[in-house]
Amino acid sequence: MSIALSATPSRRAVLAGLASVGALALAGCSTTGSTRSAVATAEPAGRVVPPEVLSMYGPLPDEDFPIPAAPIHLLDPIYWRQEVDNVTGEKPGTVVVDTANRFLYWTMPEGRAMRYGVGIGRAGFEWNGRAHIAYKRKWPTWTPPSEMIDRQPEIEKYRHGQPPGLDNALGPRALYIHQGNKDTLYRVHGNMDVHSIGKAVSSGCVRLLFQDIVDLYERVPNGSPIVVLADQSIV
């Protein structure tokens, strides 16, 4: 969620298509499991995680809600955070979501980018287009849209907001996506379930591991453009 992305106008024109306002109104974020249960799992035989990767995904005890180490040994190494060539064709300072390959890129100067593994929207909740990060929040409150509550009555208790914490659907950080002055209801946010990374599981939002969303949050200023590609691989 592989064909190289060309910088030709015809290919780049694909990026300009925006999801309809009607589709955006159905968006929302949800979680698939507890942070704590995701951590207590056994290491697959034969997978060695380099010390520098273990350090990147180690515990964050100084957070408002201390974050445990991510069980990074359970995740395919392709989805570990890493600096790569900027293959997106976008200028520095842009968030690019390659839904085909389940990557998010933060484009940087000198032809480089920081790449993160992500989970994306499941069938029926995909979205794509150009927008911007209107603002971002630390330890946000999650308020599900009414349409989501209609589909999932068990989250009625959060109609007026789910308090911040490790089990909050948005995790420790959230980037809020707007098109023009309209809130799309889509977010880039945290989720500690490693099994959701590389998968299409959410209600339209883009999810990163807690350590990755904390890292991305520090890099992305308010107002940054975001491009979400649908059905088009860039690597």
Side-chain angles (χ1 to χ4, degrees):
M1 78 317 342
S2 164
I3 301 169
L5 176 65
S6 164
T8 62
S10 59
R11 182 65 59 87
R12 292 175 66 84
V14 175
L15 309 184
L18 299 177
S20 70
V21 172
L24 293 175
L26 300 178
C29 302
S30 61
T31 184
T32 58
S34 164
T35 297
R36 297 175 184 83
S37 63
V39 173
T41 47
E43 180 172 354
R47 175 164 292 167
V48 177
V49 181
E52 62 272 19
V53 176
L54 287 174
S55 177
M56 282 195 306
Y57 290 98
L60 300 175
D62 296 330
E63 286 285 328
D64 292 349
F65 302 89
I67 295 174
I72 201 65
H73 56 278
L74 299 176
L75 187 63
D76 187 325
I78 197 173
Y79 297 121
W80 296 345
R81 185 196 324 157
Q82 54 193 287
E83 186 175 325
V84 297
D85 289 335
N86 178 8
V87 295
T88 70
E90 295 294 328
K91 66 181 182 181
T94 304
V95 176
V96 182
V97 181
D98 174 5
T99 61
N101 289 302
R102 278 49 161 181
F103 292 142
L104 181 149
Y105 295 85
W106 170 245
T107 61
M108 303 187 298
E110 300 180 359
R112 303 295 286 170
M114 191 61 69
R115 191 183 77 190
Y116 309 81
V118 299
I120 61 167
R122 64 186 183 270
F125 294 89
E126 308 94 335
W127 59 285
N128 68 95
R130 287 186 178 270
H132 66 279
I133 305 300
Y135 57 91
K136 52 187 185 175
R137 293 287 184 266
K138 291 185 177 181
W139 294 106
T141 296
W142 176 59
T143 304
S146 296
E147 294 87 349
M148 177 178 283
I149 296 172
D150 291 342
R151 296 191 306 269
Q152 300 173 248
E154 68 275 12
I155 62 174
E156 170 65 39
K157 60 186 176 180
Y158 299 134
R159 182 177 293 275
H160 301 295
Q162 182 186 25
L166 294 179
D167 292 326
N168 181 282
L170 296 179
R173 306 286 191 274
L175 312 182
Y176 293 74
I177 301 172
H178 286 209
Q179 288 178 322
N181 60 2
K182 183 175 181 60
D183 184 354
T184 67
L185 304 182
Y186 292 118
R187 315 288 184 239
V188 178
H189 68 91
N191 181 275
M192 202 52 153
D193 182 4
V194 295
H195 301 293
S196 72
I197 303 301
K199 307 284 196 317
V201 292
S202 76
S203 293
C205 294
V206 178
R207 55 175 62 185
L208 294 78
L209 291 179
F210 278 12
Q211 285 81 356
D212 283 345
I213 192 62
V214 169
D215 182 84
L216 181 67
Y217 179 97
E218 296 301 324
R219 298 176 186 273
V220 178
N222 292 341
S224 298
I226 180 170
V227 180
V228 179
L229 305 175
D231 302 324
Q232 179 186 349
S233 175
I234 61 175
V235 292

